[in-house]
Amino acid sequence: MKKLIPSYVRVPLIFAIVFAALEYFIDSGDRPAFIKFPMVSIFLAVFLFLLIAIEIVVGAVDKVTYHLLSDEQKKQLDEAQSVPFTESKFYQGIMSKLTRSKTIEQESDIVLDHDYDGIRELDNVLPPWWVNLFYATIIFALVYLVRFHVIDDYTQAEEFNKEVAMAEEFKARNATTTPDNMSVDKVTLLTDAESIAKGKEIFTNTCASCHKADGGGLVGPNLTDDSWINGGGIKNVYKVISEGSPNNPSMVSWKKIIKPTDIQKIASYVLSLQGSKPVGAKAAEGKKWVEEAAPATEVKPATDSTKVATTK
Ligand code: HEC
């Protein structure tokens, strides 16, 4: 048995199984357990060391005992080990359990009486591997029948909807965490309190030094009136924060520092200040902004599928 699998196969195999089991059972989120938890890699290293050590010791003991054997025993051992695997007792035992086939010498026991023009038949039993597989399918069918047709656990349609819902949730989660998933074309005005609060927080920390905390303007222009140098509306405001101003280098591009979805929140916050008329605000600069005045950046909603395809 020991020589059945050589040690250069056995050691990696055992190690791989233990490794896979650890990765499977230890919940380590999106990173492999052996990277996230140093204890796991230490354990694996010690385990591998022990595996190799055991192999070396067992191999050495084998060599020593071999030398202690008499010539007769050595010969027996060599013979036993030179038997190919398919002829080993172990293999033969398993095969006869699985098939219960008769050897050619035993066939006279099971040959049937009929003789069809010299053609005779053996009455072999069904091989156990096949019969047991068949029983397994019956058990599976019974469980399935009871679960889905008697108890009505869930239907295929429900399963489908559940998976679609999971995929949608995954998509929605990614849409807010993937930094690239926001752009001038896609940006929309956010009005929920949470986003506005987040926008306000960043604005107060990062932008207030030039625009004043209330948006009234200091170095930068007043952001609370309806006059804009670079155009108003969510898309233009998003763009100037993201790309910076083409006219004035003081208003730098923030897209490398602030992630796009946060820029959307800041832009939404800035627009929520419209008409707030803070005390001491700077005079209006730029042109009065009328929402319809920007057809170039306005994305019209697609009305049918052909439009979706052509506007891409
Ligand atoms: C170093 C000073 C400075 C900082 C910091 C700054 N800005 Fe500005 N901002 C300016 C200046 C100056 C302008 C005017 C640009 C122009 O004339 O086109 C401007 C323009 C703008 C405009 C366009 C106004 C218009 O009328 O077109 C918006 C929107 C804006 N800033 C938002 C922000 C936000 C949001 C932040 C923080 C992330 C920020 N700014 C940080 C100086 C600054």
Side-chain angles (χ1 to χ4, degrees), residues 248-278:
N248 190 328
S250 303
M251 178 61 193
V252 296
S253 161
W254 294 93
K255 66 181 173 193
K256 292 230 173 65
I257 302 158
I258 306 173
K259 66 176 183 182
T261 43
D262 279 345
I263 295 185
Q264 178 188 25
K265 289 174 189 153
I266 307 172
S268 298
Y269 168 68
V270 165
L271 287 172
S272 78
L273 301 175
Q274 281 292 290
S276 59
K277 297 200 173 69

mmCIF file of all heavy atoms in Angstrom, residues 248-278:
data_model
loop_
_atom_site.group_PDB
_atom_site.id
_atom_site.type_symbol
_atom_site.label_atom_id
_atom_site.label_comp_id
_atom_site.label_asym_id
_atom_site.label_seq_id
_atom_site.Cartn_x
_atom_site.Cartn_y
_atom_site.Cartn_z
ATOM 1 N N ASN A 248 -9.319 79.154 -15.436
ATOM 2 C CA ASN A 248 -8.626 79.587 -14.233
ATOM 3 C C ASN A 248 -7.961 78.394 -13.547
ATOM 4 O O ASN A 248 -8.645 77.506 -13.038
ATOM 5 C CB ASN A 248 -9.647 80.240 -13.291
ATOM 6 C CG ASN A 248 -8.968 80.940 -12.127
ATOM 7 O OD1 ASN A 248 -7.914 80.509 -11.654
ATOM 8 N ND2 ASN A 248 -9.573 82.014 -11.658
ATOM 9 N N PRO A 249 -6.634 78.355 -13.538
ATOM 10 C CA PRO A 249 -5.925 77.196 -12.982
ATOM 11 C C PRO A 249 -6.131 76.997 -11.480
ATOM 12 O O PRO A 249 -5.798 75.942 -10.946
ATOM 13 C CB PRO A 249 -4.459 77.484 -13.302
ATOM 14 C CG PRO A 249 -4.380 78.953 -13.570
ATOM 15 C CD PRO A 249 -5.717 79.376 -14.085
ATOM 16 N N SER A 250 -6.676 78.014 -10.788
ATOM 17 C CA SER A 250 -6.911 77.819 -9.353
ATOM 18 C C SER A 250 -7.925 76.712 -9.109
ATOM 19 O O SER A 250 -7.841 75.978 -8.126
ATOM 20 C CB SER A 250 -7.461 79.108 -8.718
ATOM 21 O OG SER A 250 -6.569 80.156 -8.941
ATOM 22 N N MET A 251 -8.884 76.610 -10.011
ATOM 23 C CA MET A 251 -9.875 75.536 -9.888
ATOM 24 C C MET A 251 -9.294 74.329 -10.616
ATOM 25 O O MET A 251 -9.377 74.204 -11.826
ATOM 26 C CB MET A 251 -11.206 75.980 -10.509
ATOM 27 C CG MET A 251 -12.286 74.916 -10.477
ATOM 28 S SD MET A 251 -12.712 74.411 -8.797
ATOM 29 C CE MET A 251 -13.658 72.943 -9.114
ATOM 30 N N VAL A 252 -8.640 73.470 -9.831
ATOM 31 C CA VAL A 252 -7.922 72.350 -10.431
ATOM 32 C C VAL A 252 -8.864 71.175 -10.720
ATOM 33 O O VAL A 252 -10.025 71.182 -10.303
ATOM 34 C CB VAL A 252 -6.785 71.854 -9.501
ATOM 35 C CG1 VAL A 252 -5.737 72.937 -9.317
ATOM 36 C CG2 VAL A 252 -7.363 71.424 -8.154
ATOM 37 N N SER A 253 -8.342 70.204 -11.409
ATOM 38 C CA SER A 253 -9.103 68.966 -11.648
ATOM 39 C C SER A 253 -9.035 68.103 -10.393
ATOM 40 O O SER A 253 -7.966 67.854 -9.860
ATOM 41 C CB SER A 253 -8.502 68.218 -12.834
ATOM 42 O OG SER A 253 -8.909 66.869 -12.809
ATOM 43 N N TRP A 254 -10.200 67.671 -9.930
ATOM 44 C CA TRP A 254 -10.256 66.922 -8.666
ATOM 45 C C TRP A 254 -10.416 65.422 -8.865
ATOM 46 O O TRP A 254 -10.482 64.672 -7.904
ATOM 47 C CB TRP A 254 -11.409 67.443 -7.796
ATOM 48 C CG TRP A 254 -11.185 68.840 -7.348
ATOM 49 C CD1 TRP A 254 -11.615 69.973 -7.972
ATOM 50 C CD2 TRP A 254 -10.439 69.276 -6.207
ATOM 51 N NE1 TRP A 254 -11.194 71.086 -7.292
ATOM 52 C CE2 TRP A 254 -10.469 70.688 -6.200
ATOM 53 C CE3 TRP A 254 -9.756 68.605 -5.184
ATOM 54 C CZ2 TRP A 254 -9.839 71.446 -5.224
ATOM 55 C CZ3 TRP A 254 -9.136 69.352 -4.207
ATOM 56 C CH2 TRP A 254 -9.169 70.763 -4.228
ATOM 57 N N LYS A 255 -10.486 65.002 -10.131
ATOM 58 C CA LYS A 255 -10.853 63.590 -10.350
ATOM 59 C C LYS A 255 -9.796 62.600 -9.858
ATOM 60 O O LYS A 255 -10.110 61.452 -9.589
ATOM 61 C CB LYS A 255 -11.185 63.335 -11.816
ATOM 62 C CG LYS A 255 -10.026 63.485 -12.762
ATOM 63 C CD LYS A 255 -10.488 63.220 -14.177
ATOM 64 C CE LYS A 255 -9.331 63.543 -15.137
ATOM 65 N NZ LYS A 255 -9.795 63.599 -16.525
ATOM 66 N N LYS A 256 -8.548 63.055 -9.726
ATOM 67 C CA LYS A 256 -7.519 62.123 -9.235
ATOM 68 C C LYS A 256 -7.568 62.018 -7.715
ATOM 69 O O LYS A 256 -7.041 61.086 -7.124
ATOM 70 C CB LYS A 256 -6.131 62.615 -9.648
ATOM 71 C CG LYS A 256 -5.905 62.539 -11.134
ATOM 72 C CD LYS A 256 -4.585 61.838 -11.440
ATOM 73 C CE LYS A 256 -4.406 61.591 -12.925
ATOM 74 N NZ LYS A 256 -4.292 62.854 -13.690
ATOM 75 N N ILE A 257 -8.174 63.016 -7.077
ATOM 76 C CA ILE A 257 -8.179 63.060 -5.617
ATOM 77 C C ILE A 257 -9.511 62.559 -5.057
ATOM 78 O O ILE A 257 -9.557 61.870 -4.055
ATOM 79 C CB ILE A 257 -7.916 64.502 -5.141
ATOM 80 C CG1 ILE A 257 -6.575 64.983 -5.708
ATOM 81 C CG2 ILE A 257 -7.932 64.602 -3.624
ATOM 82 C CD1 ILE A 257 -6.429 66.466 -5.764
ATOM 83 N N ILE A 258 -10.593 62.929 -5.741
ATOM 84 C CA ILE A 258 -11.918 62.549 -5.261
ATOM 85 C C ILE A 258 -12.517 61.566 -6.252
ATOM 86 O O ILE A 258 -12.424 61.769 -7.459
ATOM 87 C CB ILE A 258 -12.826 63.789 -5.148
ATOM 88 C CG1 ILE A 258 -12.140 64.854 -4.284
ATOM 89 C CG2 ILE A 258 -14.182 63.424 -4.570
ATOM 90 C CD1 ILE A 258 -12.880 66.171 -4.248
ATOM 91 N N LYS A 259 -13.100 60.481 -5.743
ATOM 92 C CA LYS A 259 -13.609 59.498 -6.691
ATOM 93 C C LYS A 259 -14.896 59.992 -7.344
ATOM 94 O O LYS A 259 -15.676 60.733 -6.712
ATOM 95 C CB LYS A 259 -13.771 58.128 -6.048
ATOM 96 C CG LYS A 259 -14.797 58.013 -4.975
ATOM 97 C CD LYS A 259 -14.881 56.555 -4.519
ATOM 98 C CE LYS A 259 -15.983 56.455 -3.481
ATOM 99 N NZ LYS A 259 -16.180 55.175 -2.913
ATOM 100 N N PRO A 260 -15.113 59.594 -8.599
ATOM 101 C CA PRO A 260 -16.202 60.145 -9.409
ATOM 102 C C PRO A 260 -17.576 60.138 -8.741
ATOM 103 O O PRO A 260 -18.326 61.110 -8.855
ATOM 104 C CB PRO A 260 -16.191 59.252 -10.646
ATOM 105 C CG PRO A 260 -14.789 58.804 -10.769
ATOM 106 C CD PRO A 260 -14.276 58.672 -9.379
ATOM 107 N N THR A 261 -17.885 59.048 -8.015
ATOM 108 C CA THR A 261 -19.204 59.009 -7.395
ATOM 109 C C THR A 261 -19.313 60.055 -6.279
ATOM 110 O O THR A 261 -20.395 60.553 -5.991
ATOM 111 C CB THR A 261 -19.502 57.609 -6.835
ATOM 112 O OG1 THR A 261 -18.336 57.127 -6.168
ATOM 113 C CG2 THR A 261 -19.879 56.654 -7.953
ATOM 114 N N ASP A 262 -18.171 60.390 -5.657
ATOM 115 C CA ASP A 262 -18.194 61.442 -4.638
ATOM 116 C C ASP A 262 -18.294 62.814 -5.290
ATOM 117 O O ASP A 262 -18.948 63.715 -4.748
ATOM 118 C CB ASP A 262 -16.941 61.363 -3.755
ATOM 119 C CG ASP A 262 -17.071 60.293 -2.678
ATOM 120 O OD1 ASP A 262 -18.215 59.844 -2.450
ATOM 121 O OD2 ASP A 262 -16.047 59.907 -2.093
ATOM 122 N N ILE A 263 -17.664 62.965 -6.456
ATOM 123 C CA ILE A 263 -17.799 64.239 -7.178
ATOM 124 C C ILE A 263 -19.268 64.481 -7.510
ATOM 125 O O ILE A 263 -19.767 65.602 -7.403
ATOM 126 C CB ILE A 263 -16.923 64.230 -8.455
ATOM 127 C CG1 ILE A 263 -15.443 64.165 -8.059
ATOM 128 C CG2 ILE A 263 -17.206 65.478 -9.299
ATOM 129 C CD1 ILE A 263 -14.483 64.277 -9.216
ATOM 130 N N GLN A 264 -19.960 63.420 -7.860
ATOM 131 C CA GLN A 264 -21.389 63.552 -8.143
ATOM 132 C C GLN A 264 -22.121 64.081 -6.909
ATOM 133 O O GLN A 264 -22.991 64.955 -7.009
ATOM 134 C CB GLN A 264 -21.962 62.189 -8.542
ATOM 135 C CG GLN A 264 -23.466 62.230 -8.806
ATOM 136 C CD GLN A 264 -24.051 60.850 -9.018
ATOM 137 O OE1 GLN A 264 -23.507 59.864 -8.538
ATOM 138 N NE2 GLN A 264 -25.162 60.786 -9.739
ATOM 139 N N LYS A 265 -21.742 63.581 -5.734
ATOM 140 C CA LYS A 265 -22.402 64.026 -4.503
ATOM 141 C C LYS A 265 -22.071 65.492 -4.215
ATOM 142 O O LYS A 265 -22.944 66.268 -3.808
ATOM 143 C CB LYS A 265 -21.989 63.132 -3.328
ATOM 144 C CG LYS A 265 -22.596 61.748 -3.453
ATOM 145 C CD LYS A 265 -22.098 60.794 -2.405
ATOM 146 C CE LYS A 265 -22.589 59.388 -2.731
ATOM 147 N NZ LYS A 265 -21.708 58.354 -2.216
ATOM 148 N N ILE A 266 -20.796 65.870 -4.436
ATOM 149 C CA ILE A 266 -20.420 67.268 -4.193
ATOM 150 C C ILE A 266 -21.181 68.178 -5.157
ATOM 151 O O ILE A 266 -21.720 69.217 -4.757
ATOM 152 C CB ILE A 266 -18.905 67.485 -4.389
ATOM 153 C CG1 ILE A 266 -18.113 66.482 -3.555
ATOM 154 C CG2 ILE A 266 -18.519 68.897 -4.009
ATOM 155 C CD1 ILE A 266 -16.625 66.514 -3.859
ATOM 156 N N ALA A 267 -21.216 67.770 -6.437
ATOM 157 C CA ALA A 267 -21.914 68.585 -7.439
ATOM 158 C C ALA A 267 -23.381 68.735 -7.064
ATOM 159 O O ALA A 267 -23.967 69.826 -7.178
ATOM 160 C CB ALA A 267 -21.770 67.959 -8.820
ATOM 161 N N SER A 268 -23.973 67.658 -6.578
ATOM 162 C CA SER A 268 -25.377 67.709 -6.177
ATOM 163 C C SER A 268 -25.555 68.633 -4.979
ATOM 164 O O SER A 268 -26.521 69.394 -4.896
ATOM 165 C CB SER A 268 -25.882 66.312 -5.819
ATOM 166 O OG SER A 268 -25.794 65.472 -6.939
ATOM 167 N N TYR A 269 -24.578 68.553 -4.053
ATOM 168 C CA TYR A 269 -24.639 69.444 -2.891
ATOM 169 C C TYR A 269 -24.531 70.912 -3.335
ATOM 170 O O TYR A 269 -25.310 71.755 -2.902
ATOM 171 C CB TYR A 269 -23.532 69.105 -1.890
ATOM 172 C CG TYR A 269 -23.386 70.166 -0.827
ATOM 173 C CD1 TYR A 269 -24.389 70.367 0.138
ATOM 174 C CD2 TYR A 269 -22.259 71.001 -0.801
ATOM 175 C CE1 TYR A 269 -24.265 71.357 1.086
ATOM 176 C CE2 TYR A 269 -22.131 71.993 0.147
ATOM 177 C CZ TYR A 269 -23.137 72.171 1.095
ATOM 178 O OH TYR A 269 -23.031 73.168 2.030
ATOM 179 N N VAL A 270 -23.557 71.178 -4.226
ATOM 180 C CA VAL A 270 -23.370 72.548 -4.724
ATOM 181 C C VAL A 270 -24.687 73.064 -5.316
ATOM 182 O O VAL A 270 -25.119 74.183 -5.033
ATOM 183 C CB VAL A 270 -22.231 72.604 -5.768
ATOM 184 C CG1 VAL A 270 -22.266 73.917 -6.541
ATOM 185 C CG2 VAL A 270 -20.879 72.423 -5.098
ATOM 186 N N LEU A 271 -25.335 72.222 -6.109
ATOM 187 C CA LEU A 271 -26.578 72.670 -6.746
ATOM 188 C C LEU A 271 -27.717 72.814 -5.741
ATOM 189 O O LEU A 271 -28.665 73.563 -5.974
ATOM 190 C CB LEU A 271 -26.961 71.720 -7.881
ATOM 191 C CG LEU A 271 -26.053 71.887 -9.105
ATOM 192 C CD1 LEU A 271 -26.334 70.818 -10.133
ATOM 193 C CD2 LEU A 271 -26.220 73.277 -9.720
ATOM 194 N N SER A 272 -27.599 72.094 -4.613
ATOM 195 C CA SER A 272 -28.650 72.233 -3.601
ATOM 196 C C SER A 272 -28.576 73.603 -2.928
ATOM 197 O O SER A 272 -29.495 74.025 -2.230
ATOM 198 C CB SER A 272 -28.521 71.117 -2.550
ATOM 199 O OG SER A 272 -27.468 71.427 -1.651
ATOM 200 N N LEU A 273 -27.423 74.306 -3.129
ATOM 201 C CA LEU A 273 -27.258 75.641 -2.528
ATOM 202 C C LEU A 273 -27.901 76.728 -3.387
ATOM 203 O O LEU A 273 -27.919 77.902 -2.981
ATOM 204 C CB LEU A 273 -25.769 75.963 -2.361
ATOM 205 C CG LEU A 273 -24.947 75.007 -1.499
ATOM 206 C CD1 LEU A 273 -23.476 75.397 -1.544
ATOM 207 C CD2 LEU A 273 -25.451 75.028 -0.058
ATOM 208 N N GLN A 274 -28.369 76.365 -4.560
ATOM 209 C CA GLN A 274 -28.952 77.348 -5.483
ATOM 210 C C GLN A 274 -30.010 78.207 -4.792
ATOM 211 O O GLN A 274 -30.919 77.697 -4.138
ATOM 212 C CB GLN A 274 -29.594 76.626 -6.671
ATOM 213 C CG GLN A 274 -28.609 76.170 -7.720
ATOM 214 C CD GLN A 274 -27.955 77.330 -8.459
ATOM 215 O OE1 GLN A 274 -28.619 78.018 -9.230
ATOM 216 N NE2 GLN A 274 -26.680 77.575 -8.197
ATOM 217 N N GLY A 275 -29.824 79.526 -4.910
ATOM 218 C CA GLY A 275 -30.820 80.446 -4.376
ATOM 219 C C GLY A 275 -30.775 80.601 -2.871
ATOM 220 O O GLY A 275 -31.673 81.195 -2.282
ATOM 221 N N SER A 276 -29.709 80.071 -2.193
ATOM 222 C CA SER A 276 -29.677 80.167 -0.731
ATOM 223 C C SER A 276 -29.265 81.570 -0.262
ATOM 224 O O SER A 276 -29.427 81.886 0.909
ATOM 225 C CB SER A 276 -28.735 79.099 -0.156
ATOM 226 O OG SER A 276 -27.429 79.282 -0.680
ATOM 227 N N LYS A 277 -28.738 82.393 -1.183
ATOM 228 C CA LYS A 277 -28.370 83.795 -0.895
ATOM 229 C C LYS A 277 -27.651 83.984 0.435
ATOM 230 O O LYS A 277 -28.149 84.659 1.336
ATOM 231 C CB LYS A 277 -29.630 84.678 -0.897
ATOM 232 C CG LYS A 277 -30.321 84.725 -2.249
ATOM 233 C CD LYS A 277 -31.218 85.965 -2.329
ATOM 234 C CE LYS A 277 -31.816 86.161 -3.703
ATOM 235 N NZ LYS A 277 -32.824 85.118 -4.059
ATOM 236 N N PRO A 278 -26.444 83.378 0.622
ATOM 237 C CA PRO A 278 -25.718 83.568 1.880
ATOM 238 C C PRO A 278 -25.267 85.028 2.045
ATOM 239 O O PRO A 278 -25.051 85.729 1.046
ATOM 240 C CB PRO A 278 -24.513 82.638 1.736
ATOM 241 C CG PRO A 278 -24.369 82.390 0.283
ATOM 242 C CD PRO A 278 -25.709 82.547 -0.335
#
